[in-house]
Amino acid sequence: MSLNIAVLGAGLMGRLLAVELARSGHRVAVYERGGSDGQTAAAHIAAAMLAPWAESVVSEPVIVELGLASLERWPRIIAALLRPVFFQQAGTLVVWHPQDRDQAIQFSARLRTLDPGLRGGDRVREISGTDIQTLEPALGQRFAQGIYLAGEGQLDNRSLLDALLAQLEASAVALHWHTETAPDHIRADWIIDCRGLGAKPEWRTLRGVRGEVVRVQSSEVGLTRPVRLLHPRYPLYIAPKPGGVYVIGATQIETEDTSPASVRSALELLSALYAVHPAFGEARILELAAHCRPALPDNLPEIRWDGGRLIQVNGLYRHGYLIAPAVMEAALALLRRVAERGGADLESWCAAQPFPSLYRR
Ligand SMILES: Cc1cc2nc3c(=O)[nH]c(=O)nc-3n(C[C@H](O)[C@H](O)[C@H](O)COP(=O)(O)OP(=O)(O)OC[C@H]3O[C@@H](n4cnc5c(N)ncnc54)[C@H](O)[C@@H]3O)c2cc1C
């Protein structure tokens, strides 16, 4: 069945869904408030780490489940795109300074509370300073102990957004840039609302959680995988991207303020970066940016059907890249189900899905 579908919002979820819907033969139109460069999306700022275990210490187990399922799907999604996208699964290195050992004890303790089936077995392991040096020679002997989360991944968000755009342009999708809109204003068989925080007028419990990141370029340091520094006040991650670029982040502040990054945040992020390796002192600052993560009260993602023609996908919070493929599949499955059979027996259908907690009405 070929449907006429409008996708609102061309950030991460909107682009992924629109590409997949067009590939399945639907007639798709995309409406986006900003331009094709994606600069108005949280997806543009994100570090795009795919870190189910590192995130498990601050998230519900379902995020780990969605993340592990999505990690399997990303390579296939990326391979089907016309343009290459940097993606790797070289693990994450977690380190701390000796005075912050308590943070490491807490981190390990929280990891151990995960169900053994989700804990990753020997893919999550405590390692010595020598192991750290072997994994990341650039860190030398700077850290005496660490935790290695083997198999965690990351991708280059900006090349992904560009590649998804190229895919949309190459298919027959109607692209409406600089078009701020709402479900009530759109005529289509089906509307999928992926406006992130822009959906707040219709989804009152949404809130923004501000995050600030720094992008630097360094030819001297040469990290090959994301490094997380545990710290009581300034926990940070350093995510290497192609071309000697590193994304350092991220603050987490309960406000919907999207004004430029503050001096305090810049100082905190850059001081912690310098403490990981003084050679970062010579890195060039490419960008200081801020955006808000779209979050629901329980910080979990949600897919809602209004009983009519509208499906809403939101609440991806700080895990959008980590969980997007599994959430996208769940949204597509719901669309197929309600387009074919409406609401008949929907509750039992939802309960039988791989991630039933995603569906709410
Ligand atoms: C600092 C920071 C770091 C992050 N790091 C990570 C990370 O390492 N790993 C990870 O998994 N996730 C990370 N995230 C989270 C991730 O970026 C988000 O979860 C994800 O982008 C949410 O996707 P979305 O499509 O719902 O929203 P968005 O990406 O924000 O896209 C929403 C789109 O809708 C458009 N829009 C809004 N209102 C309207 C309207 N009225 N009409 C038309 N269009 C509209 C917007 O312009 C935007 O393009 C990070 C986020 C931030 C801010």
Side-chain angles (χ1 to χ4, degrees), residues 5 22 51 57 110 131 135 205 223 243 303 311 315 325 351:
I5 303 171
V57 304
R110 289 204 199 116
D131 297 329
L135 284 167
T205 53
L223 297 176
I303 302 172
I311 288 176

Side-chain angles (χ1 to χ4, degrees), residues 78-195:
I78 288 170
L81 296 175
L82 296 166
R83 289 199 192 162
V85 174
F86 167 75
F87 167 89
Q88 72 171 22
Q89 249 182 299
T92 304
L93 191 55
V94 182
V95 295
W96 55 90
H97 297 297
Q99 65 272 25
D100 300 326
R101 198 167 162 270
D102 285 353
Q103 304 297 310
I105 293 169
Q106 273 179 32
F107 187 91
S108 296
R110 289 204 199 116
L111 265 177
R112 276 197 295 274
T113 63
L114 256 190
D115 182 275
L118 294 179
R119 213 183 293 151
D122 66 353
R123 287 184 294 171
V124 174
R125 54 182 187 267
E126 296 187 3
I127 58 174
S128 67
T130 314
D131 297 329
I132 294 174
Q133 203 175 348
T134 308
L135 284 167
E136 290 297 343
L139 291 180
Q141 295 176 346
R142 302 187 61 75
F143 297 96
Q145 276 180 300
I147 298 172
Y148 182 43
L149 309 173
E152 287 200 337
Q154 62 148 333
L155 55 78
D156 181 11
N157 56 327
R158 295 193 179 169
S159 66
L160 175 75
L161 294 175
D162 285 349
L164 291 168
L165 171 66
Q167 204 78 24
L168 291 172
E169 287 172 341
S171 46
V173 174
L175 297 167
H176 304 274
W177 305 113
H178 304 292
T179 308
E180 182 158 354
T181 192
D184 285 352
H185 303 151
I186 297 291
R187 282 173 182 271
D189 295 341
W190 288 92
I191 299 168
I192 308 194
D193 185 355
C194 306
R195 290 174 297 158

